[in-house]
Every structure is written in structure tokens, then in C-alpha cells.
Amino acid sequence: MAFVKRARLPQAEDSAPMRVSRAWGKAPSRFPHPKGAFMPEYYYTHTPNSEHEERHFTSVFMGKTLAFETDAGVFSKQHIDPGSEILCKSLPELHGRVLDMGCGWGAMTVMTLSRFPSLEVTMADVNERALDLAVRNVQKNGMQAEAVLSDGFANIEGEFDAVITNPPIRAGKAVIYQMFADAKAHLADGGILVLVIRKQQGAPSALKYLKELYAEAETIERDGGYWVIACRK
């Protein structure tokens, strides 16, 4: 196999190990979900109920053609999000274990591995449909990564040399700021968090908070209203 497929979920002692698939069960979520039968379905929903609208496309990233498939019920289903692409182009040299938090359908993992193929990447997302797509997209591009179904960092184990994220802004400031704090707790000494936020969606205030939380925090790229921020533990 070209891909390690594993999901870490809270389990009873007598339950069988769970693997990445469309058959995951739901877990309690810290993300605020819209209420009401006619409210839109958000991309941080555990189990999207949207009818499937599978899409297949290729995208050229830093001279390399990458193949993807997406579906309804996930973030940026029609194309690679510009912020995600800007972040991946701006990444400093990475090594060791890397966590793609809120990986969606795997675009950032695939782009990152296209630059740094020796990385040991873990993809994590609360949306099981998105994570299933991430598994397929890594396989489609002949790469390796691990997939963990997780509400934020709830099911994340161990330390990482880097965490990358295009945070779920619609989940709210409290959620994403907690994600930044949790990322620090899962970074090895000297590890880095790299994230992207649009200026109009709170990048300046996020940078201020991150400077208080981390030993170092700075904007390493600004492009089209997106700020890429790197923080060192």
C-alpha cells in the first residue's frame, strides 16, 4: 500500500480498531453547528448529509501537476483554496513529523509532500467525508500520510516538528484560538506552527495573540489579502 490508513477514535475496551472509511460513527463536537432544518451544512460537520457531487481535476503547483477529487459537504470543493496554496508555497524547509490540522480533502498535505516528500505527515479533520477524500487524494498522487478523524486535537497523539493549518474561520474565534494553543502543546521544542488567515477575517488580531502565546510569531507572506503566519515554540 502507498498509504497508511488509520483513524484514532475514543473506543471502548472491547471495540474493534477503526480505520479510515465512510463508516465512522459520530463523536461529540466542540465546533458550533448550525441549528434548524433549513440552515446550510458547514464543512466542519462530522457527517455531511449533502448529496454527493464528485469532482475530479488537476492543478499545477510549483511546476508539478497534482490530481484531486472533491465532493459536496467539504471546504473549497471546486478548487484549491488560494490561502492554502499561498501557505504551501511559503513554507520554510520542513523535516520530521508534520500535522495538517483541518486537512479537508488533503490539498495542503499533497502540496506539502510534493515539496518535501520525506516528511511523515498526519492529516486530521472532523469531517469524515473530507478525510476520506484526503486519503484518496494522497493515494492518487503516489504519496504517504496518516489520517486521523479528530475534533480539533482531541484524538491527536504525540509531538510534531510542524503543524500547518488553514483554520476553520467560520467555527469562531474561540475555536481557532484554542486550536492555536493546542498546536503549541503538540509541538516539539523549537517546532513551528504555520497558518493562513485573511486580513479581513482577523489576521492582525490573530498575530497579536500568537505573539503572546509563542516564543516567536511573524508574518512570512502577504498575498491577495492572505497572511501566512509562522510561530515557533
Side-chain angles (χ1 to χ4, degrees), residues 26-33 44-46 126 151-152:
K26 293 183 179 180
S29 176
R30 295 192 301 271
F31 290 156
H33 291 273
Y44 45 81
T45 300
H46 277 296
V126 70
D151 182 359

Side-chain angles (χ1 to χ4, degrees), residues 18-25 47-48 50 52 54 69-72 74 127-133 136:
M18 299 187 71
R19 300 179 68 84
V20 172
S21 72
R22 293 185 182 275
W24 288 316
T47 309
S50 307
H52 290 285
E54 295 183 356
E69 58 180 292
T70 67
D71 202 346
V74 301
N127 182 325
E128 62 181 288
R129 182 181 294 181
L131 196 60
D132 189 37
L133 287 165
R136 284 188 269 166

Side-chain angles (χ1 to χ4, degrees), residues 30 153 173-183 209:
R30 295 192 301 271
F153 283 80
K173 184 175 180 179
V175 171
I176 64 170
Y177 277 31
Q178 183 60 54
M179 185 178 290
F180 299 157
D182 291 342
Y209 170 73

Side-chain angles (χ1 to χ4, degrees), residues 23-172:
W24 288 316
K26 293 183 179 180
S29 176
R30 295 192 301 271
F31 290 156
H33 291 273
K35 297 181 180 179
F38 300 102
M39 291 295 286
E41 183 172 72
Y42 280 46
Y43 56 85
Y44 45 81
T45 300
H46 277 296
T47 309
N49 295 314
S50 307
E51 291 188 9
H52 290 285
E53 298 177 9
E54 295 183 356
R55 299 167 182 264
H56 299 260
F57 64 92
T58 59
S59 181
V60 177
F61 173 72
M62 300 185 74
K64 299 178 181 179
T65 300
L66 306 173
F68 298 100
E69 58 180 292
T70 67
D71 202 346
V74 301
F75 174 66
S76 192
K77 66 181 181 181
Q78 296 183 340
H79 52 75
I80 295 175
D81 175 70
S84 296
E85 184 168 357
I86 292 167
L87 182 152
C88 291
K89 286 181 177 178
S90 307
L91 286 172
E93 189 76 24
L94 298 180
H95 66 277
R97 298 190 71 211
V98 175
L99 173 66
D100 182 357
M101 172 51 65
C103 66
W105 43 268
M108 291 210 309
T109 288
V110 171
M111 289 188 288
T112 299
L113 283 171
S114 75
R115 290 190 60 192
F116 310 110
S118 64
L119 292 176
E120 182 184 345
V121 178
T122 297
M123 307 181 293
D125 205 285
V126 70
N127 182 325
E128 62 181 288
R129 182 181 294 181
L131 196 60
D132 189 37
L133 287 165
V135 169
R136 284 188 269 166
N137 284 325
V138 170
Q139 290 176 326
K140 187 184 293 284
N141 289 280
M143 299 170 175
Q144 293 184 337
E146 181 182 24
V148 180
L149 181 65
S150 182
D151 182 359
F153 283 80
N155 297 324
I156 303 301
E157 300 175 357
E159 292 186 335
F160 297 86
D161 299 293
V163 176
I164 61 175
T165 185
N166 185 345
I169 297 298
R170 290 184 181 273

